[in-house]
Amino acid sequence: MNLYGRVAVVTGGGRGIGRAVSLRLVALGVKVIVNYVNRPEPALETVALIEATGGVARALQFDVANSEAVHAAMQEVVTSEGRLDILVNNAGITRDGLLMKMKEDDWDAVLDTNLKGAFNCVKAVSRVMMKQRSGRIVNISSVIGYAGNAGQVNYASAKAGLIGLTKSVARELASRGITVNAVAPGYIETEMTSGLSPELTAKIMAEIPLARLGSPDDVAAAVAYLVSEEASYVTGQCLHVNGGMYM
């Protein structure tokens, strides 16, 4: 799966799944633009890890929820790199709380980043990819978008919305040789899950047939397949990476 010379943007690429995806793409020969919004340190650490392996990457600040900032950032990438081949919409946040107590701001923040952010990025790269008559877009959804979860109505709604976005855009862009797919991770060992209590972790583990949490590399491998030439006839699909938790 050699992708030498291609250029990718990975939103939220500084930590967890985003970092693993960035490292995996670089290993395939891709130049990666590692997006961050507020804290540059994780993104710069990812870039340093990539450069230590001989890969090429750089960090780029923009807020995926801001359509003007997204458009300007994608134009900058195309101008400086000459092309844009891969978009991985990984940026996401949580603002958990039961529906009856959820603040409207917490609903808006999660939908703006997790769903509108992906819309903004896809819209910004679609014209470039249509001109190239090629491109790969992968949206990182979640098992929660399929199964739901108490206390995460905003997160579940955004991640479910990504599936509808994926399928609709896949139909719109297929004639130009652009594939659009999603990956739905289960419970992955990242900063987002590190704060779970031992009791909750044990309960989650009991629901996973493979009896382990996933790793960011498990998700990165799925993304690498979907952006490869081997997946050129796969579009509008969601690849579940959850250890059998949701079937």
Side-chain angles (χ1 to χ4, degrees), residues 89-109:
N89 282 311
N90 169 74
I93 63 172
T94 58
R95 296 287 188 275
D96 296 347
L98 294 174
L99 172 65
M100 294 298 292
K101 296 182 179 180
M102 183 171 289
K103 297 177 182 178
E104 186 174 346
D105 287 348
D106 290 338
W107 169 273
D108 290 343

Side-chain angles (χ1 to χ4, degrees), residues 11 35-38 61-75 91 108-109 111-124:
T11 68
N35 157 256
Y36 69 96
V37 59
N38 290 320
Q61 190 276 335
F62 61 91
D63 182 358
V64 298
N66 184 321
S67 60
E68 292 182 359
V70 170
H71 178 75
M74 298 304 179
Q75 286 298 114
D108 290 343
L111 271 290
D112 282 351
T113 296
N114 298 13
L115 182 55
K116 183 183 176 184
F119 162 77
N120 287 338
C121 291
V122 170
K123 184 176 181 180

Side-chain angles (χ1 to χ4, degrees), residues 75-231:
Q75 286 298 114
E76 189 277 333
V77 171
V78 174
T79 300
S80 60
E81 309 300 337
R83 59 190 299 136
L84 206 174
D85 305 283
I86 298 166
L87 168 66
V88 181
N89 282 311
N90 169 74
I93 63 172
T94 58
R95 296 287 188 275
D96 296 347
L98 294 174
L99 172 65
M100 294 298 292
K101 296 182 179 180
M102 183 171 289
K103 297 177 182 178
E104 186 174 346
D105 287 348
D106 290 338
W107 169 273
D108 290 343
V110 171
L111 271 290
D112 282 351
T113 296
N114 298 13
L115 182 55
K116 183 183 176 184
F119 162 77
N120 287 338
C121 291
V122 170
K123 184 176 181 180
V125 305
S126 60
R127 190 175 298 276
V128 175
M129 291 183 175
M130 288 173 70
K131 289 181 179 179
Q132 294 175 172
R133 301 192 72 83
S134 67
R136 298 284 188 269
I137 298 171
V138 180
N139 298 315
I140 305 299
S141 182
S142 170
V143 64
I144 301 303
Y146 281 84
N149 196 33
Q152 289 192 303
V153 63
N154 48 5
Y155 186 79
S157 297
K159 292 300 187 179
L162 281 176
I163 302 305
L165 175 71
T166 297
K167 292 179 178 295
S168 297
V169 179
R171 290 183 179 276
E172 292 186 13
L173 300 183
S175 65
R176 298 301 181 97
I178 303 164
T179 67
V180 187
N181 292 287
V183 175
Y187 283 89
I188 306 298
E189 292 182 303
T190 65
E191 289 184 18
M192 193 174 289
T193 58
S194 63
L196 298 177
S197 68
E199 294 78 14
L200 183 54
T201 300
K203 182 179 179 181
I204 292 169
M205 292 283 283
E207 299 176 3
I208 303 174
L210 287 180
R212 70 173 178 88
L213 297 182
S215 75
D217 287 336
D218 292 325
V219 182
V223 174
Y225 165 68
L226 290 173
V227 303
S228 72
E229 289 303 316
E230 283 81 353

